[in-house]
Structure formats: structure tokens, C-alpha cells
Amino acid sequence: MNASTSPAALVASDLDRTLIYSAAALQLAMPDAEAPRLLCVEIYERRPLSYMTETAAGLLEDLAGGSVFVPTTTRTREQYFRIHLPGPAPRFAICANGGHLLVDGESDPDWQTQVRERLAQSCAPLKEVREHLLAAADPAWLLKERIAEDLFAYLVVDRALLPEGWVKELSEWAGRRGWTVSLQGRKIYAVPRPLTKSAAMREVARRTGAELTLAAGDSLLDADLLLAADRGWRPGHGELADTGWRAPHVETLTETGVAAGEEILRRLSRAASPYAT
């Protein structure tokens, strides 16, 4: 779709723990015999990793066929390409928390340039933040440390051993340097504050001429995306739910786990239907 066609709704949705779920995040509370049928949408190291309900898969296929559906994730491009969502291949996707804007599967070089210039001007360098993370982390609970796309850093930790207050202290240190910290499952992300999903969403809206922007997400790194959209949804689980985060135009669902993913898609579909292409 381009700006010369009829404007449609743009749907920018986070993926992990918003639309797709690992086995550990499914939260299937019902008896096994009543559990929904699941569709595997990601394989990692030859094993199934991420799922959605079959009902959610059908909803997403219809939604993607009638709107500008933009997967919007903190995943790297390599991690994103492991996911095979139902429906037509999205023309646009946002990876690395807005660091890469994919157009037909390729990272837009102009967008990359804009991002790196913005980071150089607005926050401490990645090297300084990474060195602090490694110095402050305890090998007793640090499992892995990673650099993502040369843009941000994250740690994989043993949550049971993570000291109370450590993430808060890190957040305060990082905040003074223009960075944001987010705890998601076993991962602690340190992301430059200017690196946002919302900026990339606005760029896709500009290119497509979308009249309405809709968004969904569950973590602190999705807050700017939800605030920037005309309407938003968040599930009953996740970092935003844990902190009680709210905004007037963002609906808070009671559903959790994979059932929340299905309900989010149901509501996104209803909101986008008047603008269906």
C-alpha cells in the first residue's frame, strides 16, 4: 500500500506476550480437555517456541488482509524472521524497538541513518551502558548478556536470584544517561530512550497515509507506542499491568496469556473494520 491508495487503518502490534506466546507464557487455566487448539508460529533450534490460538490466527489473517498490519517488536531482525504469522506477509515491520524499519523484508537505510543520528545526539553511548551492566551484574544470577543490532543491550537472568531493587537502581542510573530499563520475563533490557517503536510507527503512517493508528503491547517498551496511537490495548499481564500503567485511550483487558492475544486481535479487528481495504 502507498499514499496514493485509499487510506486504511494502521495496526502496530507488539508480538511476544501480546500476540504470540511461549509455552511458559500461555497461562492455560482451563482443564486440558477444554484448552484451545494452538498454532505454532515460531521454530527455534528445530523446536516449537511460540504459539497463538487457531482462532487468533484466523482473526490476524483477516486483519492483515484489510489493514496495514505492522509487526512491532524489540526482537532483532534475525529473531523476527523466525516468526511465521498467518496472513499475507506484512509490507512493513518494526524491529529492534524501532531501530530497523523493514520494507518488504529489507531494512530501510534512510531510517537507519536517522536513528543513529538521533542516538548520537541524545543519550550515552552503548559501550558505557554495556560496561556498567556487566560490572553491576552478579555471575550468580547472570546467565547471558547480549548486544542487539549494535543498538541496545540486554541480560538474561535467573529471576529467582535477582536481588530486590537491582532493576530499580539500574533504571535510575540509566535514566540519567538517556536510557530506559525494562524487565520482561528473564530478560532485562537497556534501551536508548530515543529508540522508540512510536517513531517508526509514525513513519509508516506517513508513508501509507493511514487515517487511524491502532496499537497493542504489554511492556514498558510498548508504552510510547500505545500513547502515540489513536487507540490502544494492553493485556491483563505483563510489565504495564504489573505497574498499573493506564492511558485514557488505551483499553485494559482482563484476559491474560494466549487468551489475551486472541481478545486483542478481536478488538483490533472491530476497530479497523470501518477502514478495511
Side-chain angles (χ1 to χ4, degrees), residues 237-255:
H237 63 257
E239 200 174 22
L240 295 179
D242 291 343
T243 59
W245 185 93
R246 294 179 181 273
H249 65 290
V250 177
E251 293 185 37
T252 299
L253 305 188
T254 58
E255 292 85 355

Side-chain angles (χ1 to χ4, degrees), residues 168-180:
K168 181 180 179 182
E169 291 179 9
L170 176 64
S171 297
E172 292 171 352
W173 180 91
R176 294 192 294 270
R177 290 157 179 82
W179 286 63
T180 296

Side-chain angles (χ1 to χ4, degrees), residues 72-148:
T72 306
T73 180
T74 305
R75 286 182 178 227
T76 64
R77 288 169 290 173
E78 179 182 2
Q79 293 167 336
Y80 167 71
F81 286 131
R82 295 200 306 251
I83 301 171
H84 298 284
L85 296 172
R91 183 181 176 198
F92 297 98
I94 296 167
C95 293
N97 212 65
H100 287 279
L101 174 58
L102 305 187
V103 183
D104 296 325
E106 299 292 334
S107 186
D108 186 291
D110 292 338
W111 182 253
Q112 287 183 51
T113 299
Q114 291 180 44
V115 166
R116 294 193 181 277
E117 289 177 350
R118 193 160 63 242
L119 297 187
Q121 296 168 1
S122 306
C123 59
L126 173 62
K127 182 175 183 293
E128 177 184 344
V129 174
R130 183 193 186 196
E131 288 175 352
H132 180 83
L133 283 173
L134 293 177
D138 189 331
W141 46 260
L142 176 62
L143 304 178
K144 299 177 186 176
E145 69 92 13
R146 294 287 186 269
I147 297 297

Side-chain angles (χ1 to χ4, degrees), residues 52-65:
M52 58 198 319
T53 68
E54 287 192 347
T55 298
L59 289 166
L60 178 55
E61 187 166 2
D62 291 342
L63 177 65

